[in-house]
Amino acid sequence: MGMEEAIGEILTAKDQKPMLFEIGPLEYDFHDIDGLYYMLDRKLSGCLLLMWTKPMDPNAEGTVLLDGVPVDGCVSQYMAVMGNMWVLGIPLRGRVIEYGKSYQLHIEGYADADGNVMEPQDFTVRGVEKTEPKPEYAEHEQTALQAAREGIVLLKNEGGILPLAKGSVLNLFGKGVHEFRIGAVGAGKINPRYSVNFLEAVRADRDYSLNEELVSFYSCDRDVLPPAEMMERAKKVSDTAVIFLTRAAGENQDASSAKGEYYLSDEEEELIRGVSEVFPNTIAVLNVGYPIDVTFAEEYQVKGLVYLGFAGMLAGPALLDILSGNVNPSGKLPDTWALDYFDIPSSKNFYDCADKPRLTSEDTVYIDTCYEEDIYVGYRYFKTFGKKEAYPFGFGLSYTEFEIRCGAFSFDGEALVAEAVIRNTGEQAGKEVLQIYIGKPETDLEQPEKEMVFFEKTKELAPGEEQTISIYVPVKMLTSFSEEEKAYILSAGEYRIYAGNSADAELCGSISVSEKRIVKKAEHLMKCGKKFTRLSRKDPEGTLPAGEFSGVVPGKTTFLPYQERRSYPAGKSLTERIQEQGSRIMFDEVRKDPKLSAKFAEQLTPAELARLTVCASAGWGMEGIGEAGRVFRLDGYGLPDFPVSDGNSGINLNVKNIGMPSGAVLCASFNKALCEESGRVIGEEAKELGIPLVLAPAFNIHRNPLNGRQPEYFSEDPYLSGVMAGHYARGMESAGTAACYKHLIGNNCESSRKRNQSLISER
């Protein structure tokens, strides 16, 4: 018996007491709010993990003390995905909050599956060391700051409660004071060189300070109302309160319509009610990865409402810049925010774990998701069917006012053109977003009331300054796909034109098309074999989604029905191809002359081509650098090592790099040049880290807010998503790093994602 086997036998003996071992250095990063393991199990959010030597009794409670103070909510559980380990998760969020400080951790009382109680153990935990900005990355980080500033959206500003007066002491409420989220989990996770949360931003600012008593109180990591006497002291300091509402989101698990996810938890409800009763000026900051219920703002007379989202490594300073008025908010919502989750037509078909098991992407049950809402996603539904929303698509307030004037539109058959003038009629400098929508005639096909076809963000306009924007809408933006004709058609009839700064844009003109025209022929490439009713404005009651064809399918073991597939001949053998071309083409030759790429591919056998398309390895394990995968290196062709990384907001490796805002926040900027610049920055840092291709941008449209990957994606609108993704990719590729558009169609559920079949019409 070897030494390792002998030790293993001793440690796992039935009468051997369990012990805890460290998983890496016991360093806690209080900026990484959810941590690496949240995507595997939500109970591990904000936890430091230790490993048990033996299987444990999950029901046996022990005691954990941090510097002598009890730590509640510890989780002892089995983790199959971590090498069949038993771990102890210790929630330290809000408790370990100082750079480089050492904390003493004492653990006792836990019992293993054999009933043996552990001997008490002590560990030293350190807060992460502070990292100072490096001058060589100043330009990159300025882009991250600007993207965060322009992606924050001001939703409500009753009585001009914002910006906050200089010299204010800020009363902050809610567990979000310490649970200040800057990014998603999973593929969209960022690993920034450093980050600055809101508390740090305020402490570093000359004009504002914190009510530190409240900051200390929310180390409890709960949304509870402070004692009455503490509230009274806070009111004497300032009559303004800022409440932070926070939600995690990311790959592997979806959110639900339950309280504490889409809807407010009972604690959040009581907190908002209690704070608004004491403080006449209450502001709520939505540090959330997806749209949530915001009806509380009217119910409790909350005067200010700010959508922060996941704004990246410099979210704290960016938010303070907006609240202080140092920067005028210019973000616009990339999604409709509904008054109620069940107002959203896809709610009947989306797998909602509020009343069902929460499934991960690895679960083995089969689910069908039927897209009965069809073309009526987001504002296309709300505007067409006259459904009132909380906040419309494209909406966002400013601290100044703008006037939008559109000239006459002309159409020559190839493009719709006009000019618009945007004038700052207020008293502060700021930026505005011109949005153009089209209402198509229903001569041939049913159409939504409005579709976005153009947007442009102005430069910063001084009071009284104006900017002329040239509007250009190519004819393809006026077409619609006809399933019957297998073509994109331009219908005859009147095209209504709307101009404004949200989906509430007003009618400003129209053009007429005299005869129908086929602009582009296509084929049936994705025809769904399942017949289902599609939502129609011609029969709203009879076609309203019912969810009949969606949900878990018992007994299903494969995707059905299968679509008809084309077959392709294998062609000539490798020997014949080499004989024809004289010799084997090596990859270095393709580098020098890319025109050889087709011939290089032709010489590969079907078996080699098949192997090449399958990932060689991944670095997701704890020993890897975190790369998403590596291309398989076929023998004999000189193929290089080719790792790829997840991204969207940075390079998702276990190596520190840039931390941009999430895709949704980046999109909320409506700034194409800024999106392109963000892509360039990420591309430059990827190249520096030896990553030739980043698996980004991800731009599946937002069909349902509960999708776990909502923050990774851009918008509910396909045009906005596509344009912003295109600029992002162009920026990345300008740095010499390849971009990879991903999740283009139907990746709207993390619940059993690998076995979740989307039933979608071609259109």
Side-chain angles (χ1 to χ4, degrees), residues 666-681:
L666 190 59
C667 189
S669 73
F670 276 66
N671 188 328
K672 291 177 273 192
L674 183 56
C675 197
E676 188 165 324
E677 179 69 6
S678 299
R680 180 188 67 82
V681 167

Side-chain angles (χ1 to χ4, degrees), residues 13 24 48 75 145 168 468 506 524 576 595 655 685:
L48 176 80
V75 181
L145 177 61
S168 296
T468 300
E506 296 183 353
H524 290 307
E576 291 172 320
K595 291 178 182 177
V655 183
E685 298 215 7

Side-chain angles (χ1 to χ4, degrees), residues 318-340:
L319 177 61
L320 184 59
D321 282 339
I322 296 297
L323 297 182
S324 67
N326 181 46
V327 171
N328 199 340
S330 62
K332 305 289 184 179
L333 289 179
D335 298 295
T336 304
W337 284 50
L339 284 168
D340 188 275

Side-chain angles (χ1 to χ4, degrees), residues 135-143 193 649-651 653 656-658 660 675-694 728-739:
E136 61 265 36
Y137 293 114
E139 180 202 354
H140 286 187
E141 288 158 13
Q142 183 60 36
T143 298
R193 286 179 282 275
S649 303
I651 303 94
L653 298 174
K656 301 289 186 182
N657 60 85
I658 193 69
M660 290 287 177
C675 197
E676 188 165 324
E677 179 69 6
S678 299
R680 180 188 67 82
V681 167
I682 294 172
E684 287 181 354
E685 298 215 7
K687 194 171 185 180
E688 182 182 311
L689 293 171
I691 298 294
L693 181 145
V694 178
Y728 175 104
R730 186 161 70 180
M732 183 173 285
E733 292 177 354
S734 73
T737 298

Side-chain angles (χ1 to χ4, degrees), residues 5 23 58 130 176 209 247 257 347 361 448 680-681:
E5 289 87 346
I23 305 177
K130 186 170 185 178
S209 59
R247 298 283 190 279
S257 64
S347 61
S361 61
R680 180 188 67 82
V681 167

